[in-house]
Each structure stands twice: as C-alpha cells, then as structure tokens.
C-alpha cells in the first residue's frame, strides 16, 4: 500500500487506493485542483490539518476522509460524493469557508459548521449520520446552514445540534427531509426544512428557542422542549 504524506498541495487528478496523510502540524496538506477519487483513506493525524479546497472527491468506492486525535479536516467549497466522514477523539471535520456539498455521504464523527454565512448542501439520498453535526459551532452572529436541496433522509443514531440563534436546518422549496426513528435534531435555532419526523426534535438549550418555521412539518414521533429550552412554531404542522 502506497502512502503520500506531509504538508503541501496535491492538485493532480488522483485515484487513491492507498493513504493520503496530513501529518505535519506546521504545514497543511491541501487537496485542490483536479477531481480526485478516494477508494481508501485520506486523513489528518498528529495535530495536522488537511484542507479540501474547491475540489471534488468521489468516495463511492468506500473511501474515508477523516481526522485522528487532535487533528482536523477543513472542507472549503468542496464536493464530497459518497463514502464516510470520520473523526477520532478530539479530531474533527470542519466547514468554514465557501459552500460545501455532501452527496450521499455518511458522517461517523464530529462535523462542525462555523457561522460565516455558509452552507453545507445535502444532495442525493440524504445524510446518514452516526455521529454529531454541530451547526454554528462558534455561536457566530453570522448564519450557518445545513440545507437539503433534494428529498432525502436524515438517519442513523446521530445528532444534529443547532447551536446558535443563527443556526439553520433547512430545505429548498418542495423538498422534504425525513428524519428516521433513531435520529435527533436538538438545540436552538431555526428548523426551516419541510420535515417528516419519525425521531426526536428537542428544544433543549435554555439560551434560546428552537423555532419550527417556513415549511410544513409532519410529526409521527416526538417534538418537545426540555431542559429549560423553548420550542416555537411559525409554520403548519400536524401530528400522527
């Protein structure tokens, strides 16, 4: 198995069947330029940063993009197709600049959306979340949004946490997000997506309201306020 490691820039068209490793904490390893295919592993380790900038990475062959203990992967105007985002320990995947698209991706780790008036766009069959996604992690006065552009599921035993007044889970007009039974949306912010809920929607942050608004919701499970939080509603909804 071949490895490319260190810090610098990989702009070449690349079909990776080995390992691409950012392991220099002093210099980022930047993936940009021509599209890349990842059939194996691309990851940051040893306190290093891997930056995926303005490039497509196709992971439909079972690829993994991740961050190990104390390290990070930064998504910046990226398109990730299939495969898995992952992190270990204090490692994380971060979105801060530009608008990144996730198409049929599984999240197994910690994914942080910072509030710089930016979107993560969800395409394909939805977002399979076995980890934690935090929207507006830095509690910014600017918005951060997880935005479904096509009908899709939000499933897995994971959590989407809206973490500020300017945190949004939303969808485009006429798009429906189906939250599966084991999944949770919680915190404070704005739930603007057209939603069919089979899981838990929990306004559990006493620092602000979780407001259901804009597009209709169908609740087949639990939507509640707990822990001193407040759930508001400014849209049609029904329970079944």
């Amino acid at each position: 198995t071949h490895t490319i490691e260190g810090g610098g820039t990989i702009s070449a068209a690349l079909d990776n069947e080995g390992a691409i490793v950012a392991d220099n904490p002093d210099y980022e390893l930047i993936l940009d330029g021509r599209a890349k295919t990842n059939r194996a592993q691309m990851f940051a380790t040893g306190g290093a940063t891997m930056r995926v900038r303005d490039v497509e990475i196709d992971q439909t062959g079972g690829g993994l993009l991740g961050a190990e203990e104390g390290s990070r992967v930064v998504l910046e105007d990226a398109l990730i197709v299939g495969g898995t985002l992952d992190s270990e320990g204090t490692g994380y995947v971060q979105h801060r600049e530009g608008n990144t698209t996730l198409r049929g991706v599984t999240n197994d780790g910690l994914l942080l959306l910072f509030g710089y008036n930016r979107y993560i766009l969800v395409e394909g069959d939805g977002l399979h979340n076995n980890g934690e996604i935090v929207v507006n992690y830095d509690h910014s006065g600017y918005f951060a949004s997880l935005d479904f552009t096509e009908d899709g599921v939000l499933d897995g035993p994971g959590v989407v946490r809206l973490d500020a007044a300017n945190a949004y889970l939303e969808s485009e007009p006429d798009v429906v997000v189906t939250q599966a039974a084991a999944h949770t949306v919680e915190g404070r912010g704005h739930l603007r997506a057209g939603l069919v809920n089979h899981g838990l929607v929990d306004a559990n942050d006493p620092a602000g309201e979780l407001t259901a608004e804009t597009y209709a919701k169908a609740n087949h499970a639990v939507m509640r306020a707990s822990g001193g939080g407040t759930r508001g509603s400014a849209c049609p909804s029904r329970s079944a």
Side-chain angles (χ1 to χ4, degrees):
T1 300
H2 195 269
T3 298
I4 298 173
E5 64 183 17
T9 303
I10 302 175
S11 297
L14 180 69
D15 190 340
N16 176 50
E17 297 180 351
I20 308 294
V21 184
D23 62 358
N24 187 333
D26 296 321
Y27 299 98
E28 293 184 349
L29 181 59
I30 299 170
L31 308 182
D32 66 5
R34 299 176 67 184
K36 297 160 181 37
T37 299
N38 180 28
R39 305 176 195 274
Q41 296 186 70
M42 296 177 165
F43 64 93
T45 189
T49 296
M50 176 177 286
R51 186 175 298 271
V52 182
R53 183 173 67 195
D54 195 23
V55 69
E56 176 182 344
I57 298 183
D58 186 341
Q59 302 196 123
T60 52
L64 181 145
L65 177 63
E68 294 188 343
E69 179 75 33
S71 307
R72 65 176 182 162
V73 171
V74 178
L75 304 178
E76 183 178 313
D77 268 328
L79 168 59
I80 311 298
V81 182
T84 301
L85 299 178
D86 198 7
S87 65
E88 298 178 3
T90 58
Y92 58 90
V93 179
Q94 167 188 328
H95 170 72
R96 187 167 186 163
E97 301 292 339
N99 298 320
T100 285
T101 299
L102 304 180
R103 183 180 299 158
V105 169
T106 296
N107 176 57
D108 280 349
L110 179 60
L111 174 58
L112 306 178
L113 285 67
F114 283 68
Y116 284 82
N117 292 347
R118 303 301 185 190
Y119 294 87
I120 282 187
L121 305 174
V122 179
E123 296 182 352
D125 62 353
L127 181 56
H128 312 291
N129 182 29
N130 303 314
E132 182 177 10
I133 300 170
V134 184
V135 182
N136 209 331
Y137 171 78
D138 55 337
H139 307 151
S140 171
Y142 300 101
F143 77 80
S145 173
L146 185 64
D147 185 0
F148 282 69
T149 63
E150 301 177 79
D151 290 351
V153 298
L154 182 56
D155 64 4
V159 174
V160 170
R161 179 163 184 83
L162 304 180
D163 212 30
N166 284 334
Y168 294 86
L169 174 60
E170 54 190 330
S171 65
E172 298 302 299
D174 301 318
V175 168
V176 176
V177 180
T178 300
Q179 178 173 234
H183 198 271
T184 298
V185 174
E186 67 178 22
R188 61 187 171 112
H190 302 268
L191 183 55
R192 285 185 172 175
L195 182 70
V196 177
N197 178 48
H198 296 281
L200 173 61
V201 177
D202 193 2
N204 60 6
D205 189 337
E209 289 190 355
L210 178 59
T211 304
E213 60 191 29
T214 308
Y215 300 123
K217 325 284 187 238
N219 181 31
H220 299 275
V222 178
M223 302 176 78
R224 72 185 184 193
S226 69
T230 302
R231 184 174 71 87
S233 180
C235 70
S237 62
R238 62 181 176 85
S239 298

